[in-house]
Amino acid sequence: MSEDSSSESARPGAGTGDRRGGDRRGDPPRGKDKEDAKRGAAGGEDTAEPKKDDKSPGAESPRADAEEHDGPVSEKDALLSLTEGIGRGDAERSEALRAGAIADEIARRLSADASGTHIGTLALFNADVSFGGGFHAGGARSGRPRPGGVSVLAMDAADIADHTELFVAPEDYGEALDALCERRVLVLTGVPGSGREAAAVNLLGEALAMAGGGAGCHRMLTPAAVLDGGWEPPVKHSGYLAALDDGSPVVEKFTSAFLSGHSHGTAQWAAVVATLRATGCFLVLTGGHDLEVLATGPGGDQVARHALAPVDPLTVVERRVLGHSGGVDASADLHSLLERTGATTALREQPSARNAARLASVIRADADVAAAVAQLRDPSEQVRAWFNQYGAPDAVAFALAAAVLEECGYLTVADAAVKLRAALTEPESAPPDVRFGDRLGHEQQWIRLDLPPEGGFGAPRVRFRNALLGQVILAYAWNLLDGRRDAVLDWLRRLLSHRDLDVRARAAVAAGVLALADPHYAVHRFLTIWAGSTSWPLRQGAATALSVAGSRPETAEAVWEVLHQWARGDASAYQRRLAGTAAHAVGGLLGRTAPMRAVAILRSALDREDDWGTLPSVAWGGVHLIHQGQTATVLDAYLEWSEPQDLSPMVVKSLSAFVFAVSQPYEEPVLDTADGRHARVPGVPVLLGELPRHRARLAELWARALARRPVQDAALDALHKWIDDYAGKSPGSLDAIEALLVSVAARPGRHRERLTWWLEKWARDREKPSAGAARLLRSLGRSR
């Protein structure tokens, strides 16, 4: 029931009109007898007469940075912050919606957990891992002994056959062969796992055959020996394969031959080439980015260079399983098996020839393909293998920056990585020459750069090939790189103050991923500090992080307990900020999954005696819950909290939060929720679109708000906007408003008189007469 539906008797509690600097609006004129004055003084229904001009007098706004520090703490400041957008309301809403959308997507990925990993647990990384996932280090095959004092090792027939019988030639293979035959030395570069060794063996075999045959292929166990003066191949008419993997000492030794000086490098390689010609031999140097850079130096003009084009991994699987003569039916069955077991997806995520060959061997052995695919896709194994190989600050910094800022543009990610790299290295006198993009295909094979559609404009976007990799990288670095934890945390905190809203939101989500591992540690280490900060971005970051941290069943209870503690704090400025952060947190993913617990948090944060500082946060929390499909729960809470219908602070706060909710237009990004998506029109309040579904609740709340000062002023403004600004944007809305006002007017008290007076005033406004108000006025007259 509304306030004036029970009787016209006075209510306890003092009115607030005088405290706000004089009456601005109110009910229509009526007899000013002693009983009226007594009712007004007692704090009952407002008896102020509408002014002819009806313009609100100017009121001093809270200082501009109030929200940034302690929030509005008085009733006047709190109400002004809602009705006039004082403070950071617009930015608050946009950031919370964007962060909530990103948090929701991350939580969805974590819940789906297609590979069966449990991200954020230390146990994830405790077991020994032997699988390399395309990130193996070293050139020679593991397990092959190296005889003492021997510089080369002949490849046996089985080894050569494994590389040649079912070989899939990459694009431009013929050009590489011609270059090797002409120059005798070929620098063959490609990413690890790309099949560069197989290509080298095939090139050497064909080159020898074209030269009239030879003594087979040999691995060079000491590749740097070719640079020694007077070196000669141990076996004439042979092919030699030298692996120079990135970061290996061998590459450093070759640096002098390529880069020490043009004349010196040229002479060295000229001598090597002459020796190979004289002995009928060929040499292929295989490697990655480091070798590719070296070969472009001064000494590289004496050798041939070829960058290996990637081969289609599905073609490699088909060739190795079906051979050269697989029929159409057999090929269809194989592709069906690859799709059914997820192997096709796995090879899209890790498109290396090595992984394709490994899956092919599993299929040929009639083993468990699904198990092999699950192991291949398991991001924890990929991450551990990668960190075991790449520990330099450059690589680690970009991996972590990409994990935090996935989907952002390359330049944004690179700038963040440079800042993190600086925290992981000794101070430098000049800006470092860091080129992350040059090494992406070698050190960061799990990352791809997606260019805009053809003809489109924009920066390439940084994305992981596996949706869970970013989260596992964060968990690994947080849990196991103990010496770098403080640097990562400081860097993440700085990202929360970034000018780009998207960067701030993703940094907050990343903090939530870190908190998944140990919520207790995260709360005491950084989340409470952020939640109680005077900085709005840090508080929003803490709220989003807790939303992500509470998205898993094993961590949800701990997060809810923290939020309850924050909401129930005392009236100090610090505790007020903690309560406000708790209110923001439950407006997101947490509130959608447990709406009753969310409104309990909102009530605790709001019901703080004479402390009004949490009203804006609670009001926004209610709006966000409504936008996530929890309208009924929120409206029921507002009805319960305002049930006394007096001028107690909790009633005024509750009705103010309701009026704020009906005033806020819906805006994207849209969160993909299963409920509450009906009649949502961007730029129109959700509660207007959902009016037919919740008419009884909304009618009661509207009646209470329109009858109670100081909420009455804001409620009248909101109703006027519903009629003139929003109804025209949403078909059928004016009919719904008509039914609403008829319901409100039918209640005992002065509701009909009040609505009639204001509708007539809006309809006859000299500057902007309202056609909608005129129609509603006629409908109200017919409803008597």
Side-chain angles (χ1 to χ4, degrees):
M1 299 292 290
S2 64
E3 178 273 330
D4 56 4
S5 62
S6 57
S7 69
E8 293 290 317
S9 61
R11 299 275 183 184
T16 61
D18 292 339
R19 294 203 304 271
R20 298 186 65 193
D23 294 328
R24 299 190 299 164
R25 295 183 176 182
D27 290 337
R30 63 178 183 178
K32 296 181 176 59
D33 54 20
K34 295 182 180 179
E35 184 64 25
D36 293 336
K38 186 184 301 181
R39 260 195 290 270
E45 195 175 356
D46 186 8
T47 62
E49 298 180 7
K51 305 281 194 301
K52 181 179 181 180
D53 187 11
D54 199 49
K55 291 184 178 179
S56 303
E60 284 192 15
S61 301
R63 55 192 176 91
D65 61 347
E67 171 65 12
E68 186 69 8
H69 290 274
D70 296 336
V73 296
S74 70
E75 176 185 355
K76 182 181 77 171
D77 288 350
L79 294 176
L80 282 175
S81 73
L82 295 183
T83 59
E84 299 181 8
I86 301 292
R88 305 182 65 87
D90 293 340
E92 176 178 328
R93 178 163 190 231
S94 296
E95 182 155 349
L97 288 176
R98 178 79 62 83
I102 298 172
D104 187 72
E105 173 62 15
I106 295 297
R108 185 193 65 77
R109 294 178 186 176
L110 298 180
S111 298
D113 198 6
S115 61
T117 56
H118 300 287
I119 297 174
T121 62
L122 284 170
L124 180 67
F125 303 105
N126 284 343
D128 290 335
V129 179
S130 58
F131 166 62
F135 299 118
H136 279 303
R141 287 188 167 188
S142 59
R144 183 179 295 276
R146 173 178 171 176
V150 177
S151 61
V152 298
L153 186 65
M155 300 179 65
D156 57 33
D159 199 1
I160 293 177
D162 185 45
H163 285 313
T164 58
E165 286 185 356
L166 300 173
F167 175 66
V168 177
E171 185 179 355
D172 298 331
Y173 176 82
E175 295 180 7
L177 179 59
D178 293 341
L180 176 61
C181 291
E182 178 183 351
R183 295 291 190 92
R184 295 283 169 163
V185 178
L186 175 66
V187 175
L188 184 66
T189 56
V191 300
S194 60
R196 60 196 184 196
E197 180 177 301
V201 172
N202 279 270
L203 288 169
L204 289 171
E206 292 198 45
L208 287 171
M210 294 171 66
C217 294
H218 297 76
R219 298 180 188 275
M220 298 198 67
L221 304 181
T222 56
V226 300
L227 302 176
D228 297 335
W231 174 82
E232 289 190 4
V235 182
K236 295 182 179 180
H237 305 289
S238 296
Y240 292 90
L241 170 61
L244 282 68
D245 292 302
D246 287 349
S248 66
V250 179
V251 174
E252 296 179 4
K253 292 182 180 179
F254 272 78
T255 301
S256 61
F258 282 114
L259 302 178
S260 61
H262 187 277
S263 59
H264 177 69
T266 299
Q268 279 187 297
W269 282 111
V272 171
V273 170
T275 299
L276 291 170
R277 290 188 187 280
T279 56
C281 295
F282 298 89
L283 170 63
V284 175
L285 305 173
T286 64
H289 178 266
D290 290 350
L291 180 60
E292 185 176 342
V293 171
L294 288 177
T296 60
D301 54 356
Q302 295 294 306
V303 302
R305 300 190 301 271
H306 185 79
L308 196 63
V311 296
D312 181 5
L314 293 177
T315 303
V316 174
V317 173
E318 186 170 356
R319 177 68 58 81
R320 285 183 168 262
V321 173
L322 304 179
H324 294 277
S325 57
V328 175
D329 292 341
S331 178
D333 290 342
L334 175 60
H335 282 273
S336 175
L337 173 66
L338 297 177
E339 287 288 344
R340 188 170 64 253
T341 58
T344 303
T345 300
L347 292 175
R348 279 198 299 265
E349 294 172 353
Q350 299 185 69
S352 71
R354 174 185 294 156
N355 292 328
R358 181 183 177 191
L359 281 177
S361 66
V362 173
I363 296 172
R364 287 201 311 269
D366 199 23
D368 190 340
V369 180
V373 169
Q375 185 183 20
L376 181 61
R377 295 196 65 201
D378 188 344
S380 64
E381 302 219 10
Q382 296 178 55
V383 170
R384 179 165 182 168
W386 187 89
F387 273 98
N388 285 343
Q389 181 175 356
Y390 298 107
D394 287 16
V396 171
F398 194 87
L400 288 174
V404 172
L405 302 177
E406 185 178 4
E407 302 288 342
C408 289
Y410 169 78
L411 295 181
T412 299
V413 177
D415 285 350
V418 169
K419 289 181 171 62
L420 178 57
R421 177 191 178 277
L424 301 178
T425 58
E426 294 293 331
E428 297 172 293
S429 58
D433 182 10
V434 180
R435 307 180 189 185
F436 296 117
D438 288 348
R439 309 187 70 95
L440 276 183
H442 297 265
E443 292 178 351
Q444 309 276 359
Q445 293 182 56
W446 47 25
I447 293 174
R448 68 176 192 266
L449 290 181
D450 287 351
L451 298 174
E454 187 174 354
F457 175 79
R461 298 284 159 177
V462 176
R463 293 184 174 94
F464 283 97
R465 296 182 184 277
N466 182 311
L468 294 178
L469 273 172
Q471 285 70 63
V472 182
I473 289 171
L474 287 171
Y476 185 99
W478 184 248
N479 290 321
L480 296 184
L481 302 184
D482 297 324
R484 295 176 171 178
R485 191 173 297 121
D486 282 348
V488 170
L489 188 58
D490 290 343
W491 168 74
L492 203 58
R493 175 173 176 153
R494 289 195 295 273
L495 288 182
L496 289 174
S497 299
H498 198 280
R499 293 183 179 180
D500 188 335
L501 168 62
D502 204 40
V503 170
R504 296 200 301 271
R506 293 180 184 279
V509 171
V513 173
L514 301 184
L516 278 169
D518 188 343
H520 180 81
Y521 176 87
V523 165
H524 292 282
R525 177 66 178 83
F526 61 92
L527 287 180
T528 302
I529 298 173
W530 295 358
S533 170
T534 59
S535 166
W536 151 249
L538 284 182
R539 295 198 301 275
Q540 176 58 43
T544 302
L546 283 169
S547 181
V548 175
S551 65
R552 299 296 291 263
E554 60 269 25
T555 56
E557 197 60 38
V559 170
W560 280 110
E561 180 57 33
V562 168
L563 294 176
H564 278 291
Q565 291 176 4
W566 289 356
R568 293 192 297 261
D570 58 40
S572 68
Y574 176 71
Q575 290 293 335
R576 185 184 304 121
R577 292 193 293 269
L578 290 180
T581 301
H584 282 298
V586 300
L589 175 64
L590 285 174
R592 189 170 76 242
T593 56
M596 296 303 295
R597 299 187 76 166
V599 296
I601 295 289
L602 294 181
R603 174 161 194 163
S604 296
L606 192 64
D607 193 7
R608 297 161 63 86
E609 299 182 357
D610 292 330
D611 183 3
W612 290 76
T614 57
L615 174 58
S617 298
V618 172
W620 275 118
V623 169
H624 295 154
L625 282 174
I626 289 170
H627 287 196
Q628 297 209 52
Q630 304 304 322
T631 300
T633 302
V634 175
L635 294 182
D636 285 343
Y638 291 157
L639 285 168
E640 178 187 348
W641 303 346
S642 62
E643 180 61 30
Q645 300 186 60
D646 53 23
L647 281 178
S648 62
M650 189 60 180
V651 171
V652 176
K653 292 176 184 178
S654 303
L655 294 177
S656 297
F658 163 72
V659 173
F660 184 74
V662 300
S663 304
Q664 296 306 308
Y666 179 71
E667 64 182 43
E668 296 179 313
V670 178
L671 299 183
D672 186 16
T673 59
D675 185 29
R677 290 181 291 173
H678 306 280
R680 290 194 173 186
V681 179
V684 175
V686 171
L687 290 179
L688 175 55
E690 295 186 350
L691 176 54
R693 300 174 60 205
H694 304 283
R695 181 176 294 117
R697 294 181 176 94
L698 287 168
E700 178 62 26
L701 284 168
W702 268 110
R704 293 179 186 180
L706 288 168
R708 178 64 61 204
R709 291 292 298 267
V711 185
Q712 186 182 62
D713 295 336
L716 288 168
D717 284 336
L719 180 60
H720 195 183
K721 289 180 179 178
W722 267 29
I723 297 170
D724 283 359
D725 296 346
Y726 300 131
K729 300 178 182 178
S730 179
S733 290
L734 200 59
D735 294 335
I737 295 173
E738 177 182 328
L740 171 73
L741 296 187
V742 168
S743 176
V744 172
R747 296 163 188 259
R750 300 187 60 213
H751 296 294
R752 181 178 296 276
E753 181 183 0
R754 178 186 304 110
L755 289 174
T756 299
W757 197 95
W758 283 103
L759 289 174
E760 184 176 5
K761 180 182 186 305
W762 297 334
R764 297 179 178 179
D765 186 276
R766 292 182 179 180
E767 296 182 1
K768 189 179 179 182
S770 171
R775 170 188 157 177
L776 295 172
L777 181 63
R778 293 191 296 270
S779 299
L780 212 60
R782 293 193 299 267
S783 69
R784 288 183 179 273

